[in-house]
Each structure stands twice: as C-alpha cells, then as structure tokens.
Amino acid sequence: MPSLFVRLFLLVLCVCTGHSWAAAAQGDTPIFLDDRTPAWQVNTDILAWIDEGSHATIDFVAGNTVKFKPTSALSRFQLNRYDTLWIKLRIAQKSPALVPWTLNIPMPPLDHVVLYQADGSGAWKLQRAGDMHAQSDWHRRGMYADFDLDLKGQAPRDIYLQIRNFKPVSIPIRLATAPQREQQRQLELLSLALVLGALLALAALSLLRFAEHRKAIDGWASLFALLIVVTIGQVAGIMNTFVWSGIPEFGNYASSVMPVVAVGCTLLFVRSVFGLAVHFRWFDRFLSTVGWGTVVSVLSFGVMDRYLADRVSGLILIFTTLVAVTATMLSWRGGSTMGRWLTFALLPQFLGQLYLFAEAAGLVPVIWEMRYLTSLAVALAVPVLLYGLSQLTHDRKELVVRANHLPTQDALTGLLTKEVFQTHLDDAVARAIETREPVALVMVRVINHAHIQRDYGDTTAEQCLLRAVVKLQRILRDVDPAGRVGTAQFGLLMEGVTTRQALSERMVKLIASGLIPLPGLVPEVTLHFQAACVLLHENPVPAVRVLDDLRELLSGISSQTRRPIRFLEALPTEASELHSQSTST
C-alpha cells in the first residue's frame, strides 16, 4: 500500500513539474548558427534571471550559482531602475563559419546593455551600449545595441546580456552575419532618411510660404514639422546617435518627453487648421486646454518617479490623440474633406499608442515593431495637416488676389475688363505690324445666353458664363490674354498662331466642348459658341476698330448657320489717283 501512494505521488510530481523540466531543457538548448540563414530573430525560449538590487557580477552569474529560468524570447520583463536583467544564450555553429556573426537588440530606448563573452583565458570581454552611455563608449556607434560575436570552433559557447531599464521592457534579439547586418543597417538608415527628408522638405515648404504670405500659421507649421522630425528621430535613435551623442542624460529623457510634446502640438495644430470655434465653441476651448496641458505635463518627469511619470504620459498620449481624432471627425461631419483624410491619418496613430500602452500593462502580446509603425503613422499625419493648411491659405490668398485685381478683372468671370484687354490688343497690333509677329484675335459669343437667361433665370445664366470661361481657358495658354468685351462676348489674343487652319482647329474644339451638357442643370443646358477671327499679322486692322469689325461680323451670322467660325477679310484696296491718271494716258 505505501508503495502505491509513492507511485501516485511520483506520478503527480511528474505531471506538475514535467513542463518546467521540458522548458528548462529547451531553454538550455544551443542556438545553432548557419551561414545559409544569414539573419533571423531568436524566437525560442531563453534563459533569464532578474538580479534584484543589481548586486551580481559576471563571475557570479556565470558561476552556475544563478538559477536561470526558461522564458519566452519576447516576454515582458518587469524591470525598474534598481534591478538588472541577465540573459544567457548558448550559441553554436553547425559548420565552421565563413563570416563573423553579430547580435543586435532593435530597441533604441534601452538604458544599459552589456554583452559578455569569455576570451578563453578566463577573462571576460564586454561590449557596451544604451542610452545611459555616450556614443563614444558604445562598442559600435548606432541607433541601438549592436555587438560582434566571437565564436571559435563548433563547440557551444555561453554569452551573457546584462540589461537595465527604468521600466518593464521586452528584449528582441536578432542574429545576423556581418555582411547581412551591414545591409540591414544601410536599409534602416535609408528608410529613415527618406521619411525624415520628406518631412524636412515639408518644413522648408511651410517656411517658404511664411516668407511669401507672412502668415504666422505657416511659420508654426514649419516648426511643427521640425518637431515631428526630431520626435521620430529620437524614437528611432537618430538623435542620440548624431545630435546629442555626448550628453546621454538628455537623450535618455528625450525618448519619453518628445512624443508627449509632439502629440500636444499636433492637437494644437489641428485646432488652428480647422477652426472648430464657429460651430463647437466649447469644444474648441477644450482642445486648447488639452493641447497645452499635454505639453506642460512633461514637467512631471522632474517631480515624479520616472516610471510613474512615464505611465501617466502614456495615458495622456492616448487621451490627447483620441481628442484629436474626435476633432477631425467633427470637422468631417461638418463637410470638411480634409477632416476625413486627417481622421484616417490620426486613427492608426491612436491605435498604435493604445496597443503600446496595453503592451506595457501586459494585456496584449509584445510586438516590438509597433514602436516604429506608430512613428510612421505620426509621420503620415504631417503632410495631411500641411496640405490642409495650404488649401486654406491658397483659398484665402486667391480671394485677396482677386480683390486686388478688381480694377483690371471682370467681377463675374475673372477675365480682363474691356479697357485692359484693349491695352493688350493695342500692343499686339503694334507688334504684328512692326515685327510681323503671328497673333490671332478672336471674338467668341455665346449665342443662346439670352435664351438661357429668359428660361432659367439670371443665376443659371451667370453659371453658364462661368462654364463658358472654363472652356475658353482650355484652348488658351497661360500667357494668352482673354477679356470680357460684352455681356456674353469674349475677346481672345492667341500669340504664335500662324495659319487659319490652326486657329480653326482650336475653335472647333471650343464649339464641340460647348455642346456637352453642363453638369448639375436639369433639363440639360448646352452652350452654343460662334467665333469671329482675324490674323493680325495678315490683316493688321487698326486696334481702335478691330473689335467693332469682329462684333459686326458676328451680328451677321445666323443662329442656325453651319459655319459658326468666320474670318475677317481684308478690305480690297483702291488704285491711287496718280496710278489712275497714268493708266488713262
């Protein structure tokens, strides 16, 4: 009977502890490197141990007295500023290596990382990286920890990683051959350079707009784009590598502070662009309060424990981004097209920040790439914001320009007034006479304008005139003057037109386009054009009467004619009196 109880006890013990034994065996299994697989990420169990109080040395850790526990490679380790994480990796090569191998941890905000390798004589070689160290102390200058592996022979070798960080973190470990790692590094730098370069170009464009229009919002837009450049560069490790590499204390805190400032300024910029105060006055004031409060909240890093301040900042980031998305959705609901596009741009940023916060709380699996995807989402919001601002600035500038040109432009169509067009005509006739420069003059008439006005009203008639101007612009170059010389009559000066055939082809396109029904009008309305033309270099009619001659030519064209294009013919010349007398004698 006792033997039965012993057997049952052993069976239960095996069932309860069998998983731990298997995990231990799996965690202690060597990681085999093969040159045929030049790059990969460790996804098997690793051996890990947290040194509470950070008292252990490498000799103590490697002396088989530490009880490492098998852990998933992407587990979230509950670190704080007092503890140290030790990771043990047993690495072997399947065959003699033809190229050296490297190990990297693609997490720029890690505080302290050291790789320990035995040199074969009982001493330890170490390679250091981390935000708490100046780049001059790193084994290899870069955006994140990057180490060289010293592997000799095919026997398994133990290497140790010593990691410190002020908050819980997951440790993605990637292994790659030296050539493959160099290719990865170049690709990463190129990708970041493209993103940051595009944002810098947008910042420069906003600065040029500020220099041209002298609008304060354009200057703030340039500073906003620069802020996003600095923030993405900080998250990716660029700023710590190249800008403040000699002051690691600043770079260490900047990784926590810059995203908060960037999100707060994004909300303030959204508020400035969309101007929700018209329909949502209380919400507009709320946006201002939340935006400035987010920016000021970074002062918590100076008065609170950094881990607690980081958690508070994470909540503020999510809340502020949610408020920004709500603002853009309200603008979208109010009919703004830019509100729709900006909602789509901010939504991935909000989801990314929500996932990172849930990941920090241990609620979702660790995806270390999410940090980079969220940064990309932040970058994508910048061109949408600046484009929306440029559209608003363009519309306002267009109104100002049009107001300034009221003395020279027709108020309805935007074309030149009759007097200003006459000035251009005088110059064109003079050039045609003096230099024989090819210039064509055309007077176009909308013959059914009176019918449209009588049947559909003045508003529809004005819309038809505007559509007629659009069709006229399609056959003109930007440098060709066009003016309104009558109620439904337009004068066109076309430089460089040498033959009647070339001019007729343009007029045929105009007349054909007028027969396309105007969109939005029921019943369908078309425009019937007639054109009177003259080539000034062939028939240099004086400028003071050429418009009257063309108007007279148009008045003689029937509305039912099949020849809506007519040319002004030169008047036949009479023989002089002296020539007549000599002929009679």
Side-chain angles (χ1 to χ4, degrees):
M1 195 64 145
S3 62
L4 179 59
F5 284 109
V6 171
R7 291 178 182 177
L8 289 176
F9 175 75
L10 292 176
L11 178 61
V12 173
L13 182 63
C14 289
V15 171
C16 295
T17 61
H19 175 73
S20 299
W21 291 343
Q26 184 178 4
D28 200 37
T29 301
I31 299 174
F32 289 97
L33 304 181
D34 190 350
D35 290 347
R36 292 175 295 181
T37 307
W40 54 286
Q41 181 175 318
V42 177
N43 52 19
T44 58
D45 285 352
I46 59 175
L47 296 176
W49 173 66
I50 294 182
D51 175 22
E52 297 181 359
S54 303
H55 301 299
T57 63
I58 180 60
D59 293 325
F60 177 80
V61 172
N64 295 325
T65 56
V66 172
K67 295 182 179 180
F68 284 95
K69 294 182 179 180
T71 310
S72 175
L74 283 178
S75 295
R76 192 163 190 85
F77 298 99
Q78 298 301 316
L79 291 179
N80 54 55
R81 60 177 179 170
Y82 303 107
D83 299 337
T84 300
L85 170 67
W86 289 88
I87 295 177
K88 177 182 177 181
L89 299 175
R90 177 160 292 180
I91 298 179
Q93 299 181 91
K94 287 187 176 181
S95 59
L98 300 178
V99 292
W101 280 78
T102 64
L103 181 149
N104 65 86
I105 303 175
M107 294 291 292
L110 280 179
D111 289 345
H112 170 86
V113 185
V114 178
L115 174 68
Y116 290 95
Q117 298 181 95
D119 62 359
S121 61
W124 292 94
K125 295 191 302 184
L126 61 90
Q127 303 173 36
R128 182 180 289 108
D131 283 351
M132 294 178 61
H133 306 285
Q135 285 280 332
S136 57
D137 296 332
W138 285 37
H139 170 71
R140 176 179 284 109
R141 189 187 186 100
M143 297 180 291
Y144 48 80
D146 201 346
F147 306 121
D148 295 326
L149 295 180
D150 184 13
L151 303 176
K152 298 177 181 178
Q154 297 179 245
R157 297 171 62 91
D158 292 337
I159 63 174
Y160 297 88
L161 287 170
Q162 181 192 46
I163 299 171
R164 294 174 185 164
N165 202 52
F166 75 96
K167 66 178 181 177
V169 67
S170 60
I171 308 297
I173 301 174
R174 299 193 302 179
L175 299 167
T177 60
Q180 183 69 21
R181 177 62 194 138
E182 185 62 28
Q183 183 177 352
Q184 288 178 352
R185 191 180 297 109
Q186 292 178 359
L187 182 60
E188 291 169 355
L189 288 174
L190 177 61
S191 301
L192 284 171
L194 290 176
V195 173
L196 299 181
L199 295 178
L200 285 174
L202 292 175
L205 178 61
S206 298
L207 189 61
L208 290 176
R209 293 181 63 84
F210 172 73
E212 178 182 359
H213 303 306
R214 296 298 178 182
K215 297 291 184 180
I217 187 64
D218 290 315
W220 289 117
S222 179
L223 293 178
F224 171 73
L226 288 176
L227 174 63
I228 299 300
V229 168
V230 174
T231 302
I232 294 178
Q234 181 63 46
V235 173
I238 292 291
M239 303 303 292
N240 286 354
T241 305
F242 299 104
V243 180
W244 34 71
S245 58
I247 44 177
E249 297 82 5
F250 182 83
N252 192 17
Y253 273 88
S255 299
S256 300
V257 171
M258 293 303 301
V260 181
V261 176
V263 171
C265 291
T266 299
L267 182 60
L268 294 174
F269 194 66
V270 168
R271 173 180 175 268
S272 300
V273 170
F274 289 106
L276 297 173
V278 178
H279 302 290
F280 308 96
R281 184 175 300 276
W282 66 269
F283 189 69
D284 181 75
R285 292 195 295 266
F286 177 68
L287 290 182
S288 178
T289 303
V290 173
W292 286 113
T294 301
V295 175
V296 175
S297 68
V298 299
L299 297 177
S300 62
F301 285 93
V303 298
M304 300 170 60
D305 178 75
R306 186 179 178 186
Y307 173 69
L308 180 60
D310 187 77
R311 296 299 295 269
V312 172
S313 297
L315 287 173
I316 292 176
L317 284 178
I318 295 175
F319 177 72
T320 304
T321 308
L322 179 61
V323 172
V325 173
T326 304
T328 57
M329 292 181 67
L330 288 175
S331 180
W332 181 7
R333 183 181 177 183
S336 172
T337 304
M338 294 310 304
R340 176 184 61 188
W341 288 112
L342 193 56
T343 299
F344 291 147
L346 290 179
L347 194 58
Q349 178 181 339
F350 170 70
L351 295 177
Q353 292 174 354
L354 187 64
Y355 192 95
L356 289 175
F357 185 82
E359 183 183 281
L363 302 178
V364 295
V366 175
I367 302 178
W368 63 268
E369 296 91 347
M370 186 60 66
R371 176 182 299 273
Y372 298 98
L373 294 177
T374 305
S375 299
L376 180 61
V378 173
L380 291 177
V382 175
V384 179
L385 272 171
L386 296 187
Y387 177 72
L389 176 62
S390 67
Q391 287 295 102
L392 295 176
T393 306
H394 176 268
D395 295 342
R396 294 168 184 168
K397 184 66 176 178
E398 194 174 57
L399 292 176
V400 173
V401 170
R402 188 166 182 177
N404 293 336
H405 285 79
L406 282 179
T408 61
Q409 291 182 344
D410 179 63
L412 175 63
T413 63
L415 299 179
L416 299 175
T417 60
K418 182 178 180 180
E419 294 75 14
V420 178
F421 181 77
Q422 184 67 47
T423 302
H424 286 275
L425 178 59
D426 294 341
D427 295 338
V429 172
R431 293 196 307 271
I433 295 175
E434 295 174 2
T435 64
R436 306 297 296 175
E437 180 180 336
V439 180
L441 173 63
V442 181
M443 181 176 289
V444 176
R445 179 178 64 170
V446 183
I447 61 174
N448 62 335
H449 175 261
H451 170 73
I452 295 172
Q453 189 175 28
R454 182 178 64 254
D455 292 349
Y456 299 103
D458 294 337
T459 302
T460 302
E462 290 179 354
Q463 292 179 357
C464 291
L465 286 181
L466 291 176
R467 295 295 301 176
V469 171
V470 172
K471 296 178 184 297
L472 289 174
Q473 295 290 356
R474 291 175 181 171
I475 66 170
L476 294 174
R477 300 178 303 170
D478 293 339
V479 296
D480 292 334
R484 188 181 182 189
V485 295
T487 301
Q489 294 177 341
F490 307 97
L492 313 177
L493 277 173
M494 301 182 182
E495 300 183 2
V497 179
T498 57
T499 63
R500 290 190 176 189
Q501 181 180 356
L503 183 56
S504 297
E505 289 176 355
R506 293 200 191 184
M507 293 301 104
V508 168
K509 292 180 180 179
L510 174 64
I511 294 171
S513 67
L515 298 178
I516 300 175
L518 299 180
L521 293 181
V522 179
E524 296 180 347
V525 176
T526 58
L527 300 176
H528 299 166
F529 291 109
Q530 289 181 350
C533 315
V534 60
L535 298 178
L536 295 177
H537 56 283
E538 293 182 355
N539 185 11
V541 183
V544 294
R545 65 179 179 88
V546 64
L547 289 179
D548 293 333
D549 291 349
L550 292 177
R551 189 175 289 107
E552 183 180 355
L553 180 60
L554 280 175
S555 63
I557 304 177
S558 170
S559 60
Q560 304 297 325
T561 183
R562 296 184 178 181
R563 294 176 54 238
I565 305 172
R566 303 291 176 87
F567 282 84
L568 184 65
E569 302 294 343
L571 296 176
T573 58
E574 298 180 357
S576 63
E577 182 179 356
L578 179 61
H579 178 71
S580 301
Q581 292 177 357
S582 61
T583 303
S584 61
T585 57

